[in-house]
mmCIF file of all heavy atoms in Angstrom:
data_model
loop_
_atom_site.group_PDB
_atom_site.id
_atom_site.type_symbol
_atom_site.label_atom_id
_atom_site.label_comp_id
_atom_site.label_asym_id
_atom_site.label_seq_id
_atom_site.Cartn_x
_atom_site.Cartn_y
_atom_site.Cartn_z
ATOM 1 N N ALA A 1041 114.841 121.385 108.569
ATOM 2 C CA ALA A 1041 115.635 120.159 108.489
ATOM 3 C C ALA A 1041 115.262 119.171 109.587
ATOM 4 O O ALA A 1041 115.167 117.958 109.337
ATOM 5 C CB ALA A 1041 117.123 120.498 108.563
ATOM 6 N N ALA A 1042 115.035 119.668 110.787
ATOM 7 C CA ALA A 1042 114.715 118.769 111.904
ATOM 8 C C ALA A 1042 113.361 118.096 111.691
ATOM 9 O O ALA A 1042 113.191 116.908 111.989
ATOM 10 C CB ALA A 1042 114.724 119.545 113.214
ATOM 11 N N LEU A 1043 112.382 118.834 111.172
ATOM 12 C CA LEU A 1043 111.060 118.265 110.923
ATOM 13 C C LEU A 1043 111.136 117.194 109.837
ATOM 14 O O LEU A 1043 110.591 116.093 109.996
ATOM 15 C CB LEU A 1043 110.074 119.365 110.519
ATOM 16 C CG LEU A 1043 108.676 118.895 110.098
ATOM 17 C CD1 LEU A 1043 107.994 118.132 111.223
ATOM 18 C CD2 LEU A 1043 107.817 120.090 109.658
ATOM 19 N N TYR A 1044 111.823 117.514 108.754
ATOM 20 C CA TYR A 1044 111.925 116.538 107.668
ATOM 21 C C TYR A 1044 112.639 115.267 108.131
ATOM 22 O O TYR A 1044 112.214 114.150 107.826
ATOM 23 C CB TYR A 1044 112.650 117.138 106.470
ATOM 24 C CG TYR A 1044 112.765 116.165 105.321
ATOM 25 C CD1 TYR A 1044 111.631 115.722 104.647
ATOM 26 C CD2 TYR A 1044 114.011 115.654 104.937
ATOM 27 C CE1 TYR A 1044 111.721 114.808 103.608
ATOM 28 C CE2 TYR A 1044 114.111 114.741 103.903
ATOM 29 C CZ TYR A 1044 112.965 114.323 103.244
ATOM 30 O OH TYR A 1044 113.067 113.408 102.223
ATOM 31 N N ALA A 1045 113.701 115.427 108.887
ATOM 32 C CA ALA A 1045 114.441 114.254 109.373
ATOM 33 C C ALA A 1045 113.550 113.371 110.254
ATOM 34 O O ALA A 1045 113.660 112.142 110.229
ATOM 35 C CB ALA A 1045 115.671 114.708 110.152
ATOM 36 N N ALA A 1046 112.645 114.003 111.002
ATOM 37 C CA ALA A 1046 111.794 113.247 111.927
ATOM 38 C C ALA A 1046 110.690 112.476 111.219
ATOM 39 O O ALA A 1046 110.239 111.443 111.718
ATOM 40 C CB ALA A 1046 111.181 114.194 112.955
ATOM 41 N N ILE A 1047 110.255 112.962 110.033
ATOM 42 C CA ILE A 1047 109.098 112.332 109.377
ATOM 43 C C ILE A 1047 109.422 111.704 108.026
ATOM 44 O O ILE A 1047 108.534 111.112 107.396
ATOM 45 C CB ILE A 1047 107.950 113.352 109.191
ATOM 46 C CG1 ILE A 1047 108.373 114.475 108.231
ATOM 47 C CG2 ILE A 1047 107.483 113.889 110.526
ATOM 48 C CD1 ILE A 1047 107.244 115.446 107.896
ATOM 49 N N ALA A 1048 110.658 111.774 107.574
ATOM 50 C CA ALA A 1048 110.996 111.339 106.212
ATOM 51 C C ALA A 1048 110.627 109.892 105.934
ATOM 52 O O ALA A 1048 110.248 109.537 104.812
ATOM 53 C CB ALA A 1048 112.480 111.563 105.950
ATOM 54 N N ASP A 1049 110.706 109.033 106.953
ATOM 55 C CA ASP A 1049 110.442 107.608 106.732
ATOM 56 C C ASP A 1049 108.952 107.277 106.751
ATOM 57 O O ASP A 1049 108.560 106.127 106.574
ATOM 58 C CB ASP A 1049 111.176 106.756 107.769
ATOM 59 C CG ASP A 1049 110.663 106.973 109.193
ATOM 60 O OD1 ASP A 1049 110.045 108.039 109.452
ATOM 61 O OD2 ASP A 1049 110.877 106.081 110.037
ATOM 62 N N ARG A 1050 108.099 108.299 106.955
ATOM 63 C CA ARG A 1050 106.643 108.070 106.962
ATOM 64 C C ARG A 1050 105.892 109.240 106.340
ATOM 65 O O ARG A 1050 104.757 109.545 106.690
ATOM 66 C CB ARG A 1050 106.137 107.812 108.390
ATOM 67 C CG ARG A 1050 106.579 108.816 109.416
ATOM 68 C CD ARG A 1050 106.667 108.123 110.780
ATOM 69 N NE ARG A 1050 107.742 108.669 111.568
ATOM 70 C CZ ARG A 1050 107.588 109.677 112.427
ATOM 71 N NH1 ARG A 1050 106.419 110.230 112.615
ATOM 72 N NH2 ARG A 1050 108.610 110.100 113.114
ATOM 73 N N LEU A 1051 106.539 109.873 105.361
ATOM 74 C CA LEU A 1051 105.959 111.029 104.672
ATOM 75 C C LEU A 1051 105.613 110.664 103.228
ATOM 76 O O LEU A 1051 106.469 110.212 102.462
ATOM 77 C CB LEU A 1051 106.955 112.193 104.680
ATOM 78 C CG LEU A 1051 106.578 113.417 103.833
ATOM 79 C CD1 LEU A 1051 105.337 114.102 104.406
ATOM 80 C CD2 LEU A 1051 107.758 114.391 103.762
ATOM 81 N N VAL A 1052 104.333 110.860 102.871
ATOM 82 C CA VAL A 1052 103.898 110.720 101.479
ATOM 83 C C VAL A 1052 103.450 112.092 101.008
ATOM 84 O O VAL A 1052 102.653 112.759 101.679
ATOM 85 C CB VAL A 1052 102.736 109.717 101.334
ATOM 86 C CG1 VAL A 1052 102.372 109.534 99.857
ATOM 87 C CG2 VAL A 1052 103.101 108.376 101.962
ATOM 88 N N VAL A 1053 103.982 112.521 99.859
ATOM 89 C CA VAL A 1053 103.643 113.823 99.301
ATOM 90 C C VAL A 1053 102.694 113.625 98.122
ATOM 91 O O VAL A 1053 102.949 112.801 97.248
ATOM 92 C CB VAL A 1053 104.907 114.575 98.841
ATOM 93 C CG1 VAL A 1053 104.538 115.936 98.245
ATOM 94 C CG2 VAL A 1053 105.889 114.750 100.007
ATOM 95 N N TYR A 1054 101.602 114.389 98.113
ATOM 96 C CA TYR A 1054 100.616 114.315 97.027
ATOM 97 C C TYR A 1054 100.647 115.611 96.249
ATOM 98 O O TYR A 1054 100.647 116.707 96.853
ATOM 99 C CB TYR A 1054 99.204 114.070 97.583
ATOM 100 C CG TYR A 1054 99.099 112.769 98.335
ATOM 101 C CD1 TYR A 1054 99.429 112.697 99.690
ATOM 102 C CD2 TYR A 1054 98.707 111.603 97.699
ATOM 103 C CE1 TYR A 1054 99.361 111.502 100.388
ATOM 104 C CE2 TYR A 1054 98.631 110.385 98.395
ATOM 105 C CZ TYR A 1054 98.962 110.366 99.738
ATOM 106 O OH TYR A 1054 98.897 109.173 100.418
ATOM 107 N N ARG A 1055 100.636 115.505 94.917
ATOM 108 C CA ARG A 1055 100.727 116.665 94.047
ATOM 109 C C ARG A 1055 99.445 116.840 93.229
ATOM 110 O O ARG A 1055 99.252 116.162 92.229
ATOM 111 C CB ARG A 1055 101.903 116.497 93.080
ATOM 112 C CG ARG A 1055 103.255 116.271 93.733
ATOM 113 C CD ARG A 1055 103.761 117.501 94.448
ATOM 114 N NE ARG A 1055 105.140 117.336 94.899
ATOM 115 C CZ ARG A 1055 105.733 118.133 95.768
ATOM 116 N NH1 ARG A 1055 105.056 119.167 96.271
ATOM 117 N NH2 ARG A 1055 106.976 117.928 96.127
ATOM 118 N N PRO A 1056 98.541 117.734 93.658
ATOM 119 C CA PRO A 1056 97.419 118.066 92.781
ATOM 120 C C PRO A 1056 97.944 118.718 91.501
ATOM 121 O O PRO A 1056 98.992 119.365 91.512
ATOM 122 C CB PRO A 1056 96.598 119.057 93.618
ATOM 123 C CG PRO A 1056 96.995 118.778 95.035
ATOM 124 C CD PRO A 1056 98.444 118.383 94.963
ATOM 125 N N ALA A 1057 97.230 118.529 90.409
ATOM 126 C CA ALA A 1057 97.654 119.133 89.158
ATOM 127 C C ALA A 1057 97.624 120.652 89.277
ATOM 128 O O ALA A 1057 96.683 121.216 89.847
ATOM 129 C CB ALA A 1057 96.736 118.688 88.025
ATOM 130 N N PRO A 1058 98.639 121.338 88.761
ATOM 131 C CA PRO A 1058 98.632 122.810 88.816
ATOM 132 C C PRO A 1058 97.385 123.360 88.154
ATOM 133 O O PRO A 1058 96.977 122.909 87.085
ATOM 134 C CB PRO A 1058 99.893 123.187 88.031
ATOM 135 C CG PRO A 1058 100.778 121.988 88.129
ATOM 136 C CD PRO A 1058 99.844 120.805 88.130
#
Side-chain angles (χ1 to χ4, degrees):
L1043 174 60
Y1044 181 66
I1047 65 175
D1049 66 339
R1050 50 209 146 92
L1051 172 66
V1052 184
V1053 179
Y1054 299 86
R1055 303 291 188 194

